[in-house]
């Protein structure tokens, strides 16, 4: 049950786009279309940003988008805002034994 | 709006036990699958356990299997996590998290309760 692999940090200037990768295996990301992404500000519970690889919950800005290719999922934040500075975690369903795996987490810094 | 409120955290010695509770409100608790997710200080998120809406299906992460027990009381709109044989590495904020109607993601989270395992 190894965690999914994410870059430790990414950064961008306001208005720019950043993309966070999340790499797993054919037993998790590659095997199911059940990748979700969570935003977490310091000291606050995580917030669902993307689910089922590409879907956005109501209230989440369309600046946030998700995709998947093979064993790697990605979260793209377009038109970066200061409020987007936070930690981001991917999560994938990994079958009826392992169940859920989270990513290692990525800190997004707005320069 | 959906509300999840955890309680029961605290300081416990290694080898000790603790029972966490999660009080749910403003939604039909009995219709939703629930999970526990934890976060060690300064670390990432780790899925801990899952329970189906009826309680008939339960899953655990290998790191807690045999030591933790998840349960729910739909009449009381409550989710529980019984934690036994606690270790220092179980120190974390524990969140209860609801799965949405179609499952496979966590659409609402509680504020978390801190469990510290230390002598």
């Amino acid at each position: 049950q190894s965690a999914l692999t994410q870059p430790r940090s990414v950064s961008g200037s306001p208005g720019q786009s950043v993309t966070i990768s999340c790499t797993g295996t054919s037993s998790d990301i590659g095997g199911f279309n059940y990748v979700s992404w969570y935003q977490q500000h310091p000291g606050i519970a995580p917030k669902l940003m993307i689910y089922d690889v590409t879907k956005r919950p109501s209230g989440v800005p369309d600046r946030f988008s998700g995709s998947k290719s093979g064993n790697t999922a990605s979260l793209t934040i377009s038109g970066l805002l200061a409020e987007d500075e936070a930690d981001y975690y991917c999560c994938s369903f990994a079958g009826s034994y392992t169940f859920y795996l989270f990513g290692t987490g990525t800190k997004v810094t707005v320069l | 709006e959906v509300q999840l409120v955890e309680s029961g955290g605290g300081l416990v010695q290694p080898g000790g036990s603790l029972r966490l509770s999660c009080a749910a409100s403003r939604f039909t608790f009995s219709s939703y699958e629930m999970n526990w997710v934890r976060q060690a200080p300064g670390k990432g998120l780790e899925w801990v356990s899952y329970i189906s809406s009826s309680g008939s299906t339960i899953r655990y992460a290998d790191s807690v299997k045999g030591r933790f027990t998840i349960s729910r009381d739909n009449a009381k709109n409550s989710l529980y996590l019984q934690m036994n044989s606690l270790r220092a590495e179980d120190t974390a904020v524990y969140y209860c998290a609801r799965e949405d109607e179609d499952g496979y993601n966590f659409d609402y989270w509680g504020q978390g309760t801190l469990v510290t395992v230390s002598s």
Side-chain angles (χ1 to χ4, degrees):
Chain A
Q1 289 185 342
S2 298
L4 307 174
T5 301
Q6 297 180 232
R8 183 176 289 264
S9 65
V10 299
S11 62
S13 299
Q16 288 187 330
S17 294
V18 295
T19 296
I20 304 168
S21 61
C22 172
T23 302
T25 69
S26 58
S27 297
D28 38 72
I29 292 176
F32 306 94
N33 287 321
Y34 296 131
V35 177
S36 51
W37 289 90
Y38 301 87
Q39 176 192 65
Q40 187 179 34
H41 288 105
I44 298 177
K47 175 187 176 183
L48 177 66
M49 304 301 284
I50 295 288
Y51 67 100
D52 293 354
V53 180
T54 62
K55 299 175 182 177
R56 260 188 329 271
S58 62
V60 172
D62 60 7
R63 303 184 294 104
F64 291 85
S65 62
S67 63
K68 188 186 88 165
S69 178
N71 298 335
T72 299
S74 299
L75 173 72
T76 297
I77 310 173
S78 304
L80 208 55
L81 299 176
E83 66 205 49
D84 298 332
E85 185 162 293
D87 293 325
Y88 291 82
Y89 294 90
C90 60
C91 181
S92 176
F93 180 68
S96 59
Y97 175 71
T98 303
F99 233 62
Y100 290 114
L101 286 174
F102 277 96
T104 49
T106 299
K107 181 173 179 58
V108 170
T109 301
V110 181
L111 301 171
Chain B
E1 167 151 305
V2 167
Q3 195 164 24
L4 298 168
V5 179
E6 301 94 336
S7 61
L11 176 63
V12 61
Q13 291 189 337
S17 298
L18 214 53
R19 188 194 196 207
L20 304 184
S21 299
C22 173
S25 59
R26 301 176 188 169
F27 69 101
T28 306
F29 179 70
S30 59
S31 297
Y32 288 83
E33 299 155 293
M34 299 294 296
N35 293 263
W36 288 98
V37 177
R38 69 184 180 183
Q39 186 170 35
K43 303 296 185 183
L45 300 172
E46 180 189 15
W47 172 76
V48 172
S49 185
Y50 158 94
I51 187 167
S52 63
S53 57
S54 67
S56 60
T57 302
I58 285 173
R59 295 288 186 269
Y60 299 100
D62 282 350
S63 56
V64 306
K65 202 170 293 183
R67 300 187 299 122
F68 289 13
T69 302
I70 191 172
S71 63
R72 65 190 296 161
D73 186 335
N74 286 341
K76 294 183 177 180
N77 292 332
S78 293
L79 174 72
Y80 306 102
L81 187 67
Q82 177 67 44
M83 304 186 296
N84 299 330
S85 303
L86 282 162
R87 307 166 180 166
E89 53 265 35
D90 295 319
T91 294
V93 173
Y94 285 73
Y95 296 100
C96 65
R98 190 187 84 164
E99 292 194 19
D100 79 1
E101 291 180 348
D102 295 323
Y104 305 108
N105 64 80
F106 312 114
D107 63 346
Y108 285 94
W109 299 63
Q111 85 289 350
T113 186
L114 176 63
V115 172
T116 303
V117 184
S118 174
S119 55

